[in-house]
Amino acid sequence: MIAAPARTPIARFVALVEQRLGLHYEQGQWGELEAVLAERAAGRGVELYLAQLTAPSAQAEWKVLAERLTVGETYFLRHPTQLETLVDQVLPSFLRQTSSLRVLCAGCSTGEEPYSVALLARERGRVDSSRLRILGIDVNPRAIAQARRACYSPWSLRAVPAAMRAQWFQRTPEGFALQPQVRDQVIFEERNLLEEAPAFWAPGSFHAILCRNVVLYFPPEVIRRIIARMAQALVPGGYLFMGPSETLRGISEDFELLRGGDAFYYRLRQPTPPAASVALAAPPPAAPQKVAPPPADGLGEVLHLLDAERYTEAWAHLESLPQTSQPQALLLRAVLHLHAGRLAQAEQLGRQLATASATEAPACYLLGLCLEQAGDEAGARGRYAASVRADPTFALGYLRVGTLARRAGDIVEARVALRMAVSLLPQEKPLHLALFGGGFGRHGLMQVGLQELQACTEVP
């Protein structure tokens, strides 16, 4: 038997970084790590250095690596609509239940985000600042030290209105120092999101958690552990805010997706009360079902689970069925691949299904979702346009075309597509809603369409 070749030093270093810091590097990105490895191992040799990284005494070295490798780009009032939703709607909703409100900013870098929450709470007046407790955590010790100093460059304040800057910051030779009453409202801790820390993540610890533009750098299995820990730490019905390009699709089924204006965010699902606790009364009229009549061959249950966003169960049930080349079965499989983040598998099936007239429209839409998740909005827009050419009544296709057109500044095209979406959504096929509704439902999607259309009218 031939022994397997030993992994190269850089491959072992990459694996250690992912294990300890959660940061995932594709092989094409290893060049930047090779330079760090060479620098840190200088004078002692790469093999000895890698061995030392696995020792309990390596804590100080890992702090250095965290400083070198973590991404800290941030500024005050970044993605402001989310922050405004937090202080205007989310936090006030808890005021009748508790005397103190607790917010966690995970991956807070140099502190601009938690301080932004504190500033907006004071500016907008919906929450008594004396009842608000904000905690910022980050794995980078240098960033935490800078956050505690609370002195920032003009570049960090580039989105802060002049009046707010004048009221809450003091000009110093080093930069703009935050006023003490705001600075002292936020506590900072050096903490690694990958560490268990049961006491820190105790149930009911926080009313809201901001984890924005953080998990972009983690592999899916690490993201699942982090999000599960955060779900546990939230109060019942607590909220999670993520970055605009981040999603829980295929990561967690513990949350429902909400939208306020241009802000997307998540709410922890409430447990379903036991049937015995429900009062005996005449049942309310049944709401219209989103799901189409159950397909044959056991796929109806898969579709039902998918519609309920129970993706893990849907996949397990689909795998338990006899393998078939039936187009609807392949479409369900492709959608579940997409929700699990397996974009290559979803795209492969989508291309296959796009050649059949019966599945061309949903398959093109699916391919658009794959491209959008991969960051190719122009390509995604083309695929969504193909979906509505294949099926001129496909409301969801028009909705995505309009949304991406608005982002690209093509306001005329956006208005046309969004008006089509709003007019067609009341008759959208239940199957399309189940496959691609993303938990919104018909009414929620109508609101999204109307809000997007309103945003078009606000463009000068």
Side-chain angles (χ1 to χ4, degrees):
M1 177 182 293
I2 300 176
R7 288 193 298 172
T8 63
I10 183 60
R12 287 153 52 203
F13 184 53
V14 169
L16 285 171
V17 167
E18 181 167 328
Q19 178 185 352
R20 189 62 179 260
L21 300 179
L23 302 175
H24 178 67
Y25 290 84
E26 298 293 341
Q27 194 159 356
Q29 302 171 299
W30 286 11
E32 58 186 282
L33 286 184
E34 285 181 320
V36 174
L37 175 59
E39 176 192 326
R40 300 305 302 170
R44 48 185 151 175
V46 170
E47 292 297 333
L48 177 58
Y49 177 69
L50 292 175
Q52 290 173 341
L53 283 181
T54 63
S57 58
Q59 186 68 23
E61 180 61 21
W62 280 111
K63 288 179 182 289
V64 174
L65 290 173
E67 290 180 0
R68 292 292 302 275
L69 300 176
T70 52
V71 178
E73 167 60 22
T74 185
Y75 53 90
F76 278 89
L77 303 184
R78 188 181 189 186
H79 309 316
T81 53
Q82 283 190 327
L83 299 177
E84 290 165 0
T85 298
L86 172 68
V87 300
D88 288 349
Q89 302 175 33
V90 167
L91 294 179
S93 71
F94 291 106
L95 287 176
R96 293 184 180 179
Q97 307 170 24
T98 180
S99 59
S100 65
L101 299 168
R102 301 177 298 280
V103 176
L104 172 66
C105 293
C108 68
S109 188
T110 47
E112 287 92 331
E113 179 180 85
Y115 285 138
S116 293
V117 175
L119 284 173
L120 280 179
R122 290 174 179 270
E123 284 279 316
R124 301 177 80 86
R126 297 293 307 278
V127 175
D128 183 352
S129 293
S130 66
R131 300 172 65 178
L132 180 59
R133 303 288 180 268
I134 306 169
L135 173 62
I137 62 173
D138 200 279
V139 71
N140 188 329
R142 184 180 298 174
I144 290 295
Q146 185 174 338
R148 288 172 176 154
R149 286 195 297 271
C151 188
Y152 296 94
S153 68
W155 183 244
S156 289
L157 274 68
R158 59 189 183 270
V160 178
M164 184 184 292
R165 181 184 301 192
Q167 181 173 3
W168 300 113
F169 293 86
Q170 180 179 356
R171 193 73 166 95
T172 72
E174 293 78 28
F176 289 87
L178 195 60
Q179 294 287 2
Q181 65 266 40
V182 182
R183 181 195 64 206
D184 296 344
Q185 194 173 349
V186 183
I187 297 173
F188 293 95
E189 290 184 14
E190 180 190 331
R191 187 172 292 278
N192 190 335
L193 287 176
L194 273 65
E195 294 175 353
E196 293 292 337
F200 182 85
W201 300 108
S205 296
F206 306 104
H207 294 89
I209 296 176
L210 286 81
C211 186
R212 306 193 303 169
N213 306 301
V214 175
V215 299
L216 283 171
Y217 309 104
F218 296 158
E221 61 274 12
V222 172
I223 300 175
R224 290 187 184 95
R225 293 204 305 272
I226 292 172
I227 297 300
R229 206 168 285 154
M230 291 180 175
Q232 171 186 285
L234 285 168
V235 301
Y239 293 81
L240 174 64
F241 290 78
M242 302 185 71
S245 60
E246 296 169 319
T247 178
L248 293 185
R249 178 177 293 168
I251 297 296
S252 174
E253 299 176 13
D254 294 331
F255 294 86
E256 58 180 325
L257 180 64
L258 303 177
R259 175 171 179 167
D262 285 336
F264 288 93
Y265 55 106
Y266 294 90
R267 180 169 58 200
L268 190 64
R269 294 185 189 277
Q270 298 278 23
T272 303
S277 65
V278 179
L280 295 177
Q289 294 298 308
K290 293 194 291 180
V291 183
D297 302 323
L299 297 178
E301 179 61 20
V302 178
L303 190 59
H304 172 74
L305 293 168
L306 177 63
D307 188 47
E309 298 184 77
R310 293 158 62 183
Y311 305 123
T312 303
E313 295 173 60
W315 180 262
H317 192 80
L318 182 61
E319 288 293 276
S320 71
L321 298 176
Q323 294 296 311
T324 175
S325 58
Q326 180 185 346
Q328 192 170 64
L330 295 179
L331 183 59
L332 286 170
R333 183 173 294 274
V335 171
L336 288 170
H337 276 312
L338 177 69
H339 283 297
R342 298 184 289 268
L343 299 186
Q345 294 92 323
E347 184 176 354
Q348 181 181 2
L349 285 173
R351 291 183 183 279
Q352 177 183 339
L353 291 164
T355 61
S357 59
T359 53
E360 181 181 1
C364 287
Y365 187 88
L366 173 87
L367 291 170
L369 292 174
C370 290
L371 290 170
E372 192 171 354
Q373 285 202 22
D376 182 3
E377 290 198 354
R381 187 171 156 190
R383 284 293 186 174
Y384 295 137
S387 75
V388 299
R389 286 196 299 270
D391 179 0
T393 68
F394 194 1
L396 294 180
Y398 286 111
L399 183 58
R400 293 311 303 155
V401 168
T403 299
L404 294 187
R406 183 180 72 82
R407 288 183 192 170
D410 297 334
I411 302 304
V412 173
E413 181 180 345
R415 288 171 178 159
V416 171
L418 290 168
R419 288 191 185 109
M420 287 295 294
V422 170
S423 66
L424 290 171
L425 271 167
Q427 291 81 40
E428 180 63 288
K429 295 179 178 67
L431 177 63
H432 290 168
L433 295 174
L435 291 175
F436 304 119
F440 276 100
R442 195 183 302 274
H443 176 74
L445 289 166
M446 282 287 293
Q447 295 306 308
V448 170
L450 290 169
Q451 288 166 359
E452 288 287 339
L453 197 54
Q454 177 63 31
C456 287
T457 65
E458 295 169 358
V459 175

